[in-house]
Amino acid sequence: MVSDFGETLHHMAAPVVGKSARTRARLVAATRAAIRARGTFTAADVAARAEVVPATFYAHFASRGDALAAAFAATLDEVVDLVGAHLDPARLDPARPDRGAPAVLAAFVDALVDFFAREARVFRAALGDLATNPGVRATYRAHEESAMAHLVPFVAAVRGTGPDDPAVVPVARALLVAGQGLDNPLLFTGEHSDAERAVLVAGLCALVTADPRTPPSPRRPPGRPA
Amino acid sequence: MVSDFGETLHHMAAPVVGKSARTRARLVAATRAAIRARGTFTAADVAARAEVVPATFYAHFASRGDALAAAFAATLDEVVDLVGAHLDPARLDPARPDRGAPAVLAAFVDALVDFFAREARVFRAALGDLATNPGVRATYRAHEESAMAHLVPFVAAVRGTGPDDPAVVPVARALLVAGQGLDNPLLFTGEHSDAERAVLVAGLCALVTADPRTPPSPRRPPGRPA
């Protein structure tokens, strides 16, 4: 499995330069645009949007699945950039309330929900192929690792700890899971109230500062409704 | 949009009885089994698994997309049952640590992750069609409402409040979003450590008890890594 991913990544990372690279980038952008518009795509549709002949599509992608993996990779590049820009330890300043962890996480939630809403169809199409498309799986795993490279130092910074804090990696991975959970149609429809957003941010703050060895009790004792 | 959903639901809810209903249930089960096995399905494949002639598939489903929506509906029925069984206010007992909100939520996380892992391909296939399949959208929305009917009384019970607590509905909706976030391949591969699970449970506990008007500060002041 791992070597399968490795080979696929190697293939995807093969250097492509000059005019050929520009054409490929145009085809990837056209694939994303087609999925955004219709939820799916054909090679002919993408070639027409990229203003190339259909044979050019197959000169750059072995299959439709290859084009989908490339479109997903380009989309995930942008997610990782967004994570890096928002969850940057340099953004945190304990002396300023607008730069505490809750404010930074709130801005991150807004930006990520907006991004997922815009790219929802690309995510659905790619994740729908996850089980059957090794290229989609490989790019998904690789981008998770890239996101972790941002999340680990951010979590350590919020916790005020260093590499000796054994909670940092599990907390960063839980934050990775929670962040992906924001790719949810419920959040995209304007039904997403400020109160709901505040609750999600509170949950993320608790998660970032959690001690995995002692799950906290709720703030009030559990009880029955009055 | 709403009337489109309404009509689709009406169509899906049309009464089917006796032998016809049993054949349909067998076709739905065969569709789920085919997707679990291969990530996708054909009408011929499903008919063979259900031991009927291919024409019978089209006697029960107008299209492949209809069968997918029916398979998704059956899967979501089971999720809603799981939510109802785990997040039942009667499970909470403040006098017993093994029946406090953290313990109940931890058992729920385990059960939900197991369920999503087993049904991952059905979810990916259905959510991949969300943008283009009105039947999938309609059943998704309907099951969200059914899940909310369980979540609202559970949240009120954990908070020890009643229908006058304005936080209950936004908190229940945030819990619905967070629960769907557990449908994540990261959690399905045995890489999901106990520490990571404890962090996710801590986040959910904080979310259930959050006050949406005042996002909490992290437990420690934010700072830079040492």
Side-chain angles (χ1 to χ4, degrees), chain A residues 38 92 94 102 121 124 127-128 131-132 141 144 157 173 180 184 186 191 196 198 206 209 211-212 218-219 222-224, chain B residues 38 92 94 121 124 127-128 131-132 141 144 157 173 180 184 186 191 196 198 206 209 211-212 216 218-219 222-224:
Chain A
R38 301 198 303 118
L92 294 167
R121 288 178 158 188
R124 300 274 172 259
L127 294 174
T132 49
R141 290 283 173 194
E144 281 188 335
R173 287 178 60 88
Q180 290 178 47
N184 186 310
L186 256 188
E191 300 168 51
E196 197 178 326
T209 53
D211 180 349
R219 279 191 296 170
R224 306 291 158 79
Chain B
R38 300 197 305 116
L92 294 167
R121 288 179 157 187
R124 300 272 171 262
L127 294 174
T132 50
R141 289 284 173 193
E144 281 186 336
R173 287 176 61 88
Q180 291 178 48
N184 186 311
L186 256 189
E191 300 169 51
E196 197 178 326
T209 54
D211 180 349
R219 279 191 297 170
R224 305 292 157 80

Side-chain angles (χ1 to χ4, degrees), chain A residues 191, chain B residues 1-10 134 137-138 141:
Chain A
E191 300 168 51
Chain B
M1 212 58 158
V2 167
S3 68
D4 171 28
F5 288 171
E7 279 165 35
T8 307
L9 280 176
H10 179 74
R137 276 204 303 281
R141 289 284 173 193

Side-chain angles (χ1 to χ4, degrees), chain A residues 39-125:
Chain A
T40 185
F41 67 100
T42 62
D45 179 15
V46 168
R49 282 175 187 269
E51 299 180 348
V52 299
V53 297
T56 303
F57 179 94
Y58 288 106
H60 285 269
F61 304 116
S63 65
R64 220 184 132 273
D66 250 27
L68 179 59
F72 193 40
T75 308
L76 292 179
D77 283 349
E78 292 175 13
V79 179
V80 170
D81 286 350
L82 188 150
V83 171
H86 278 269
L87 303 189
D88 176 353
R91 279 210 175 209
L92 294 167
D93 182 347
R96 290 176 49 181
D98 63 325
R99 288 176 58 184
V104 169
L105 284 167
F108 174 62
V109 167
D110 281 344
L112 197 56
V113 168
D114 284 352
F115 186 86
F116 280 136
R118 209 161 48 239
E119 302 288 344
R121 288 178 158 188
V122 176
F123 278 95
R124 300 274 172 259

Side-chain angles (χ1 to χ4, degrees), chain A residues 85-205:
Chain A
H86 278 269
L87 303 189
D88 176 353
R91 279 210 175 209
L92 294 167
D93 182 347
R96 290 176 49 181
D98 63 325
R99 288 176 58 184
V104 169
L105 284 167
F108 174 62
V109 167
D110 281 344
L112 197 56
V113 168
D114 284 352
F115 186 86
F116 280 136
R118 209 161 48 239
E119 302 288 344
R121 288 178 158 188
V122 176
F123 278 95
R124 300 274 172 259
L127 294 174
D129 259 25
L130 195 70
T132 49
N133 186 326
V136 166
R137 276 204 303 280
T139 198
Y140 182 71
R141 290 283 173 194
H143 285 84
E144 281 188 335
E145 289 315 302
S146 304
M148 282 292 283
H150 294 301
L151 294 174
V152 164
F154 177 78
V155 167
V158 172
R159 298 172 67 87
T161 57
D164 54 328
D165 177 357
V168 166
V169 169
V171 165
R173 287 178 60 88
L175 189 57
L176 186 62
V177 169
Q180 290 178 47
L182 298 176
D183 177 17
N184 186 310
L186 256 188
L187 300 177
F188 304 158
T189 51
E191 300 168 51
H192 178 219
S193 69
D194 287 350
E196 197 178 326
R197 191 195 74 135
V199 171
L200 289 169
V201 170
L204 288 180
C205 288

